[in-house]
Amino acid sequence: MPLVTTKEMFRKAYEGGYAVGAFNVNDMEMVQAIVEAANECRSPVILQVSAGARKYANPVYLKHLVDAAVETTDIPIALHLDHGADFEICKSSIDGGFTSVMIDASSKPWEENISLTRKVVEYAHAHGVVVEAELGKLAGIEDDVKVESKDAMFTSPDEVEEFTARTGIDSLAIAIGTSHGAYKFKPGQDPKLRLDILEEIGKRLPDFPIVLHGASSVPQDKVAIVNQYGGEMPNAIGIPESELRKAAKMAVCKINIDSDLRVAFTAAVRKHFAEYPSHFDPRQYLGDARAMMKEMVKHKIINVLGSADKA
Ligand code: G3H
Ligand code: 13P
Ligand code: ZN
């Protein structure tokens, strides 16, 4: 099956009360870990590429790695641009064979967010590509840009109908308490999502796919491995998986997970070197990292997203 858009994936996810995982890829091991996990779980999957990933790996390499994944499996796979900052990066991804792009103009003024998003939608739709945009502002770090939690803003349900109608987008990312990175809450804080806002948005936008960014849960068993073997990740706290499970049963059709995969990858590498200090063949420690990342993706598909056996 060739690369697909998220259109059909989201329709089924909405009706079926589950979400599709969108996992960030930066190299071959990550593509393999995610796609093997999704294939074994018979789950649809979205592979997403950030500006940082484009800079690290070169988008042409990443596209070919994803093509290899498509050639060796038969599950639905979409290739998505994560946090496209401007029209040019969206256009270049569309021209380069991506099937979905995000234009992230959420930090811009209202009219500017609408006109830029609309411009991307016109180009994307003319090329058979779908578009995600964002309303509201998440805290955390992405591409070296840090949004302090005091500057984060929940999405206003009053704005979503006008925004989706005027832009023509295919899915909407909202801010309801998730944030990017591995440090989402401080110790003692109640790590809850504003599911009441999600519910209200779901009423205003019937049958419309909602996206959650910053949805890593920061599994404490993996953080413990990192810390046990010389790492320093004190107070790394994420979104409880039970909260995400509830969101996936509501209007949320796409859940973005990156940090959890990074933590799993790093835990495996640190453990490997502690156990085998003489190793210097990258296949040995990258192989362990790929295996731990794959287990993490399977866990998400089965226990958080609910997308197993939906391919
Ligand atoms: O939302 C951001 C993703 O986690 C990608 O992170 O920009 O460091 O590649 P990155
Ligand atoms: P996390 O940092 O919570 O994994 O979020 C990733 C993300 O939103 C990518 O766009
Ligand atoms: Zn994000």
Side-chain angles (χ1 to χ4, degrees), residues 198-229:
L198 171 60
E199 191 178 359
E200 186 55 35
I201 290 173
K203 281 185 197 152
R204 308 277 182 111
L205 298 176
D207 296 327
F208 196 84
I210 300 299
V211 177
L212 283 191
H213 281 248
S216 277
S217 299
V218 194
Q220 293 303 303
D221 59 330
K222 301 297 179 298
V223 172
I225 297 173
V226 170
N227 290 336
Q228 181 185 348
Y229 295 112

Side-chain angles (χ1 to χ4, degrees), residues 22-24 48 50 80 82-83 102 132 138 141-142 178-182 184 212-218 238-239 254-262:
F23 303 102
N24 290 72
Q48 56 185 10
S50 70
H80 174 75
D82 193 23
H83 293 285
M102 176 191 192
E132 170 188 324
L138 270 68
I141 301 178
E142 73 199 47
T178 60
S179 60
H180 290 105
K184 301 181 194 294
L212 283 191
H213 281 248
S216 277
S217 299
V218 194
I239 314 290
K254 173 174 179 270
I255 293 189
N256 285 14
I257 300 170
D258 185 11
S259 297
D260 283 357
L261 307 196
R262 295 177 178 191

Side-chain angles (χ1 to χ4, degrees), residues 126 138 169 219 231 302-303 305:
L138 270 68
I169 53 169
I302 295 165
N303 300 297
L305 303 158

